[in-house]
Amino acid sequence: RMQKNFRLPPNTHGIAIDDSKIQRKLLSKLMEFIGITKDNITILGDGPSEILSFEDHVVEYMQLHTNNYVLLIADEQLDIVNESSQHESISGSHMIKKIRERLPPELEG
């Protein structure tokens, strides 16, 4: 059985983003369950500043951890209230696409 033998490499880091507090807790537990240590888990999405800085955070993180694997999980619809008090949705998959475009080929994959 593949699922019994599946192991992430020990140098795997997990980064996730979700605008729901409950989902952020579940994502943290999921990453621990699949074998990522607590020190290597970053869960973001608590407020507009964390959502809007996600791309920069991930790119900088990956540039600092070039010898590690990074598992990214992003909520598809990240809802924020902008400075004009208007509701806005940001696409998680679009953010991941933009992150991948910013990474050099040796870090993207």
Side-chain angles (χ1 to χ4, degrees), residues 17-49:
I17 186 166
D18 202 300
D19 56 348
S20 164
K21 183 176 182 177
I22 292 170
Q23 292 299 336
R24 288 193 302 272
K25 283 187 175 208
L26 289 173
L27 285 164
S28 182
K29 294 292 182 198
L30 169 71
M31 289 197 182
E32 285 181 59
F33 180 76
I34 62 174
I36 301 173
T37 61
K38 278 187 177 187
D39 291 343
N40 292 342
I41 297 172
T42 304
I43 309 293
L44 301 169
D46 187 11
S49 63

Side-chain angles (χ1 to χ4, degrees), residues 29-68:
K29 294 292 182 198
L30 169 71
M31 289 197 182
E32 285 181 59
F33 180 76
I34 62 174
I36 301 173
T37 61
K38 278 187 177 187
D39 291 343
N40 292 342
I41 297 172
T42 304
I43 309 293
L44 301 169
D46 187 11
S49 63
E50 285 192 7
I51 293 171
L52 295 172
S53 65
F54 179 70
E55 292 171 32
D56 290 335
H57 175 84
V58 172
V59 170
E60 290 168 17
Y61 192 93
M62 293 183 75
Q63 289 170 340
L64 291 172
H65 297 87
T66 57
N67 294 322
N68 298 305

